[in-house]
Amino acid sequence: MSPKTKAKYEARAAIIKALAHPTRLFIVDQLQTRKRCVCELTKLIGADISTVSKHLSVLKSVGIVHDEKVGQQVFYHLKTPCVLRFFICVDSVVKTNAEEQLALLR
Amino acid sequence: MSPKTKAKYEARAAIIKALAHPTRLFIVDQLQTRKRCVCELTKLIGADISTVSKHLSVLKSVGIVHDEKVGQQVFYHLKTPCVLRFFICVDSVVKTNAEEQLALLR
DNA sequence: TGCCTATTTGGCCATACAACCAAGTAACCA
DNA sequence: TGGTTACTTGGTTGTATGGCCAAATAGGCA
């Protein structure tokens, strides 16, 4: 693989890597409808606020979300809603796997 | 997050995690046109064959690729081509990031 | 059968990740 | 100004990942 090709796939992988965590996928899904502050996401997720803050900074660093400070709160919103389309494909893979698993039991 | 919700996002994350590596993204891209054996992919990638084999097993374990043994060779093919659509969105994120980076320099 | 080729698996090591707690920063309010 | 709330950052620890080498497995051919 040439250095140029390698760099291309590394750039892509960095974005996908940022999505490759259940909590971050949940966050992306929650931001689908509206922007939310860290405190709200923390309540929904049920982890330490520092953990949630770090997940958000991962998503922000690759440009998937954007943040906006309003008073003492920081609101995050989805910058690239196209990532939501991932779910459609991913869910179809999950479903196919489950069906194949079932078929094996017959 | 309820246990059920958590399980849903964990299942999704497992699929995305399998894609979150430059070499595996390259493999998926290469399988877009036709199935290929491990040896061919190994040449294209330029890593140890054991490394490539492990990457393929990661993709296989989550149901993104399928393998088929023909003689001494094992051919892998893309089982869920919808993952190729990820690239469109991901590349747009990469491009936007680059543009914003440029804008900062002005 | 015995060798050769293709691939997988196990072992090892270095690095990266995710979680929590604790400490630091920033904005608002009394 | 001093306290409170909201958030981020640093530190630590355990676990997962990715790479290579070496060994094991499997199919084909002499």
Side-chain angles (χ1 to χ4, degrees):
Chain A
M1 214 179 338
S2 74
K4 193 178 163 184
T5 305
K6 202 179 162 198
K8 183 173 94 175
Y9 287 98
E10 275 170 359
R12 287 173 167 177
I15 314 281
I16 296 181
K17 210 168 183 179
L19 285 169
H21 190 284
T23 301
R24 294 197 288 266
L25 288 179
F26 177 80
I27 290 171
V28 165
D29 223 358
Q30 291 304 313
L31 296 184
Q32 180 172 9
T33 46
R34 65 168 185 283
K35 59 183 161 187
R36 297 180 192 263
C37 65
V38 182
C39 55
E40 187 180 359
L41 290 168
T42 300
K43 274 174 203 142
L44 290 168
I45 293 163
D48 193 277
I49 188 172
S50 69
T51 301
V52 175
S53 175
K54 280 178 184 172
H55 280 307
L56 287 164
S57 89
V58 169
L59 291 172
K60 183 184 161 190
S61 69
V62 298
I64 292 174
V65 302
H66 187 255
D67 64 340
E68 174 197 3
K69 188 150 197 173
V70 180
Q72 323 174 52
Q73 295 179 315
V74 177
F75 284 87
Y76 281 85
H77 65 86
L78 202 53
K79 200 170 149 192
T80 52
C82 62
V83 298
L84 290 167
R85 296 185 158 279
F86 286 22
F87 290 132
I88 300 166
C89 172
V90 167
D91 286 348
S92 77
V93 177
V94 172
K95 193 184 167 197
T96 304
N97 289 346
E99 284 168 354
E100 286 178 3
Q101 198 62 33
L102 272 179
L104 282 179
L105 299 175
R106 285 199 200 98
Chain B
M1 216 182 331
S2 75
K4 194 178 164 184
T5 304
K6 202 181 162 198
K8 183 173 93 174
Y9 287 98
E10 276 170 358
R12 287 173 166 177
I15 315 280
I16 296 180
K17 209 170 181 178
L19 286 168
H21 190 282
T23 300
R24 294 197 289 268
L25 288 179
F26 177 80
I27 290 172
V28 166
D29 223 359
Q30 291 304 313
L31 297 182
Q32 180 172 10
T33 47
R34 64 168 187 281
K35 58 183 163 186
R36 297 181 192 262
C37 66
V38 183
C39 54
E40 187 179 0
L41 290 168
T42 300
K43 275 173 204 144
L44 290 167
I45 294 163
D48 193 276
I49 188 170
S50 69
T51 301
V52 175
S53 175
K54 279 177 185 171
H55 281 307
L56 286 164
S57 90
V58 169
L59 290 172
K60 184 185 160 188
S61 70
V62 299
I64 292 174
V65 302
H66 186 254
D67 64 339
E68 173 197 4
K69 188 152 197 170
V70 180
Q72 321 173 54
Q73 295 179 314
V74 178
F75 284 86
Y76 280 85
H77 64 88
L78 201 53
K79 200 169 149 192
T80 52
C82 62
V83 298
L84 291 167
R85 298 185 155 278
F86 285 23
F87 290 131
I88 301 166
C89 173
V90 166
D91 286 348
S92 77
V93 177
V94 172
K95 193 182 166 199
T96 304
N97 290 346
E99 284 168 354
E100 285 179 2
Q101 197 64 31
L102 272 180
L104 282 180
L105 298 176
R106 284 196 201 100

